[in-house]
């Protein structure tokens, strides 16, 4: 299958001044395929945001290449189409809101690329509908909750009809309710066929993805399905990462009641296992 995004031996340093450079990404290679739901995890400073910014050419590698639909992100003539193909939602919802009315905010990017009025209206309607914010369309965004603002920001990206959206810690400023709302939107968009890349330090969020890429010191150290990745509890701990809290709880219960499965990574699985266990033990 053709990849959407392909990184080939990507290295990148920030230049602090004439003499000093901070080497952040070190020879990274991987591909993202259409329809994937990928979580990128790693502790603070491991290079996740720097990597995210390479996925649509906000930053370009010092050596190596990033290809989006076969176009090199260093090709200035392709910048616009690359940004349109891969959208980004950032951490702070407030920094992403540009207009004073929700629907104008969602339309902002479309106006910039000159989408005709009728088409624009249709796309704004659809995008607000997906993120369940239609009833707020005439409201000023600054009256909304963090989760609602973030959903407006997502609608703005969605309206551009990208093939892939990168979320860089997009839930980290939100309370648990807001986080759930945004996670549901990610899952829904992925079910609609959109490729999702989410950078997160919440393991419960990473467990929702179909694939996890673990980054440490600017290098990829693990890449696989969540169930495989979370089997490596000790390696993750060495990287200052944890397995999801439901996995930790399941393991504690399993130690006392061996029929209780410890192979659990999602909250829904945990609840199912409790119900199964309860039926078997109590017989109801
Ligand atoms: N604009 C910048 N200038 C210089 N150094 C930076 C800049 N942004 C990030 N860094 C450094 O690069 C490293 C990786 O940062 P980042 O990609 O933000 O990691 P993460 O998102 O995983 O926390 C850190 O050591 C950070 O201090
Ligand atoms: Mg970051």
């Amino acid at each position: 299958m053709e990849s959407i995004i392909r990184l080939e031996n990507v290295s990148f340093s920030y230049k602090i001044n004439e003499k000093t450079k901070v080497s952040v990404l070190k020879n990274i290679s991987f591909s993202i395929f259409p329809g994937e739901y990928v979580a990128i995890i790693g502790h603070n400073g491991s290079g996740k945001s720097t990597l995210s910014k390479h996925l649509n050419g906000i930053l370009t590698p010092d050596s190596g290449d990033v290809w989006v639909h076969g176009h090199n992100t260093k090709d200035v003539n392709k910048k616009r189409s690359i940004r349109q193909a891969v959208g980004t939602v950032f951490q702070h919802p407030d920094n992403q809101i540009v207009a004073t009315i929700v629907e104008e905010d969602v339309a902002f990017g479309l106006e910039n690329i000159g989408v005709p009025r009728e088409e624009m209206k249709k796309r704004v309607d659809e995008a607000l509908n997906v993120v369940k914010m239609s009833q707020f369309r005439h409201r000023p965004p600054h009256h909304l909750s963090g989760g609602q603002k973030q959903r407006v920001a997502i609608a703005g990206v969605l309206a551009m009809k990208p093939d892939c959206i990168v979320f860089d810690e997009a839930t980290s400023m939100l309370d648990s309710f807001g986080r759930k709302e945004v996670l549901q939107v990610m899952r829904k968009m992925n079910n609609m066929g959109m490729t999702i890349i989410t950078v997160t330090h919440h393991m419960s969020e990473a467990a929702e993805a179909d694939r996890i890429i673990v980054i440490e010191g600017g290098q990829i150290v693990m890449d696989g399905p969540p169930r495989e990745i979370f089997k490596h509890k000790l390696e993750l701990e060495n990287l200052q990462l944890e397995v999801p809290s439901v996995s930790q709880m399941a393991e504690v219960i399993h130690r006392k009641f061996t029929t209780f499965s410890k192979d659990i990574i999602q909250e829904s699985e945990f609840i199912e296992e409790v119900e199964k266990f309860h039926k078997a033990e109590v017989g109801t």
Side-chain angles (χ1 to χ4, degrees):
M1 203 198 299
E2 281 277 307
S3 60
I4 289 196
I5 304 173
R6 183 158 60 92
L7 283 79
E8 232 173 38
N9 306 319
V10 168
S11 298
F12 177 83
S13 314
Y14 289 104
K15 280 144 207 79
I16 307 296
N17 55 41
E18 290 292 301
K19 288 195 199 116
T20 326
K21 285 198 300 187
V22 185
S23 164
V24 178
L25 302 182
K26 294 162 194 152
N27 208 29
I28 288 188
S29 301
F30 65 86
S31 294
I32 303 285
F33 295 96
E36 277 197 303
Y37 184 170
V38 183
I40 299 178
I41 63 174
H43 68 77
N44 265 351
S46 55
K48 304 181 297 299
S49 292
T50 307
L51 177 60
S52 305
K53 288 180 184 145
H54 276 77
L55 301 179
N56 63 356
I58 299 173
L59 293 175
T60 52
D62 297 333
S63 65
D65 295 287
V66 180
W67 309 87
V68 175
H69 286 311
H71 300 305
N72 197 313
T73 56
K74 289 174 190 161
D75 183 348
V76 285
N77 297 318
K78 297 290 175 200
K79 238 182 177 73
R80 199 162 165 160
S81 68
I82 286 173
R83 294 277 169 90
Q84 234 166 292
V86 181
T88 315
V89 179
F90 295 100
Q91 187 171 14
H92 296 279
D94 290 323
N95 298 353
Q96 297 172 83
I97 306 279
V98 287
T100 50
I101 298 293
V102 164
E103 64 177 5
E104 286 170 12
D105 193 79
V106 178
F108 184 78
L110 299 175
E111 267 172 29
N112 271 348
I113 57 166
V115 171
R117 194 108 220 124
E118 270 312 292
E119 167 77 9
M120 184 150 77
K121 195 179 160 322
K122 198 170 139 244
R123 289 213 209 170
V124 170
D125 285 350
E126 279 171 8
L128 283 170
N129 191 26
V130 171
V131 301
K132 295 211 175 90
M133 286 298 288
S134 301
Q135 74 271 38
F136 296 98
R137 61 184 308 148
H138 301 300
R139 300 268 190 95
H142 64 268
H143 284 171
L144 304 175
S145 73
Q148 290 169 334
K149 277 186 210 164
Q150 202 59 314
R151 285 189 283 151
V152 171
I154 295 170
V157 175
L158 206 53
M160 303 291 282
K161 290 198 184 293
D163 302 312
C164 173
I165 301 188
V166 180
F167 295 84
D168 186 1
E169 308 256 10
T171 65
S172 65
M173 304 303 285
L174 309 180
D175 58 23
S176 64
F177 184 73
R179 190 177 308 145
K180 261 196 189 126
E181 290 175 329
V182 169
L183 275 179
Q184 276 167 4
V185 171
M186 284 186 204
R187 173 49 72 194
K188 184 171 171 184
M189 290 191 301
N190 182 247
N191 289 342
M192 288 160 58
M194 191 169 289
T195 309
I196 303 289
I197 303 173
T198 178
V199 172
T200 180
H201 61 256
H202 291 286
M203 294 304 128
S204 57
E205 268 180 57
E208 292 289 322
D210 302 320
R211 173 183 172 194
I212 295 181
I213 295 175
V214 186
I215 173 169
E216 160 70 11
Q219 290 179 306
I220 305 243
V221 289
M222 292 187 207
D223 182 346
R227 211 170 289 284
E228 287 304 314
I229 299 291
F230 290 134
K231 278 183 185 149
H232 300 271
K233 190 165 179 259
L234 291 178
E235 284 102 316
L236 289 171
E237 276 170 11
N238 285 335
L239 302 170
Q240 300 169 43
L241 299 169
E242 292 183 316
V243 298
S245 52
V246 287
S247 309
Q248 297 178 30
M249 279 194 279
E251 204 191 316
V252 171
I253 300 172
H254 175 82
R255 265 188 249 139
K256 195 159 167 59
F257 305 100
T258 49
T259 56
F260 194 96
S261 173
K262 59 175 177 176
D263 185 23
I264 279 169
I265 59 169
Q266 288 177 347
E267 198 179 297
S268 56
E269 291 174 344
F270 186 83
I271 293 167
E272 264 172 43
E273 189 62 20
V274 169
E275 281 168 357
K276 214 168 84 190
F277 186 76
H278 181 75
K279 266 193 195 136
E281 290 295 307
V282 186
T284 52

